[in-house]
């Protein structure tokens, strides 16, 4: 069975989804699965996944399908950046570009500010990704100035998909 062939009715016959907690609970007795048990496991990159009839589904995509009755057209973005937080208020449809705008700071980032690097001249340079390109937003004497410009550029270019530190995102996201 391919992912596109599973029906919402079939999914709902197997499990319940709680949009306030993001949890899936098995409601049907299945081989190797106890009724009322939380469905799924966390994969190596931090997403919840659930196996149904030999097919592995990402829980955030199942949540969207469970509630809306259709598969997302593109990707599902976790607003707060927490990959296993599948509460409905934390999920939204996004294009690849929008989802990338809301990605975490790169592991090699030495400034601690997404899109800000220390230039060889000793100043902080702001670069922001936009439609597959890096947009140069200037050189700044202090990290604080660069961070302000980065936030301004993100708000301008990415709107609601602008990246925020997890501490800037409320629980109700």
């Amino acid at each position: 069975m391919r992912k596109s062939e599973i029906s919402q009715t079939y999914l709902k016959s197997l499990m319940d989804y709680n949009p306030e907690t993001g949890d899936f609970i098995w409601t049907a007795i299945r081989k190797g699965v106890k009724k009322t048990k939380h469905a799924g496991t966390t994969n190596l990159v931090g997403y919840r996944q659930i196996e149904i009839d030999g097919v592995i589904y990402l829980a955030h995509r199942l949540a969207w399908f469970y509630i809306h009755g259709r598969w997302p057209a593109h990707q599902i973005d976790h607003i707060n950046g927490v990959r296993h937080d599948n509460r409905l208020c934390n999920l939204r449809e996004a294009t690849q570009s929008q989802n990338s705008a809301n990605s975490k700071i790169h592991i090699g980032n030495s400034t601690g500010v997404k899109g800000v690097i220390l230039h060889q001249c000793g100043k902080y340079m702001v670069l922001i990704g936009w439609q597959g390109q890096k947009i140069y937003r200037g050189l700044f004497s202090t990290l604080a100035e660069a961070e302000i410009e980065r936030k301004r550029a993100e708000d301008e270019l990415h709107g609601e998909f602008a990246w925020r530190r997890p501490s800037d995102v409320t629980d109700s996201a």
Side-chain angles (χ1 to χ4, degrees):
M1 181 178 274
R2 289 185 357 224
K3 288 182 187 182
S4 60
E5 293 176 354
I6 189 173
S7 72
Q8 184 189 38
T9 303
Y10 181 60
L11 176 62
K12 288 183 173 187
S13 76
L14 298 175
M15 60 187 67
D16 284 332
Y17 166 69
N18 182 333
E20 292 183 18
T21 65
D23 294 327
F24 280 93
I25 306 291
W26 291 106
T27 57
I29 299 172
R30 299 175 54 81
K31 183 180 178 184
V33 174
K34 291 182 181 178
K35 198 173 174 181
T36 73
K37 181 180 185 268
H38 279 82
T41 59
T42 303
N43 68 20
L44 294 175
V45 293
Y47 292 107
R48 292 287 296 169
Q49 61 185 30
I50 300 170
E51 185 176 341
I52 301 172
D53 298 334
V55 178
I56 296 174
Y57 295 88
L58 293 172
H60 54 277
R61 293 183 68 79
L62 277 180
W64 193 265
F65 181 60
Y66 190 99
I67 295 296
H68 298 287
R70 63 176 176 77
W71 293 103
H74 300 285
Q75 297 181 355
I76 294 296
D77 177 45
H78 290 82
I79 296 168
N80 68 5
V82 179
R83 292 176 172 180
H84 63 270
D85 182 354
N86 294 313
R87 294 173 299 139
L88 191 60
C89 68
N90 189 45
L91 304 177
R92 62 185 170 191
E93 280 192 278
T95 64
Q96 170 65 40
S97 178
Q98 290 168 327
N99 205 1
S100 294
N102 190 31
S103 64
K104 295 179 181 178
I105 294 174
H106 188 272
I107 196 166
N109 181 304
S110 62
T111 65
V113 179
K114 184 177 177 184
V116 176
I117 61 172
L118 184 57
H119 191 270
Q120 62 190 11
C121 70
K123 292 189 176 189
Y124 294 94
M125 182 170 62
V126 176
L127 293 171
I128 186 167
W130 176 245
Q131 297 182 342
Q133 299 177 27
K134 291 284 186 186
I135 307 296
Y136 171 78
R137 295 295 290 228
L139 289 170
F140 300 87
S141 298
T142 69
L143 182 59
E145 291 172 324
E147 188 169 14
I148 289 168
E149 178 56 29
R150 170 62 187 194
K151 186 177 182 318
R152 182 177 319 149
E154 281 192 324
D155 289 343
E156 176 187 317
L157 297 172
H158 299 305
E160 70 176 289
F161 288 90
W163 181 82
R164 299 290 179 256
R165 295 176 194 269
S167 60
D168 295 341
V169 180
T170 64
D171 283 338
S172 61

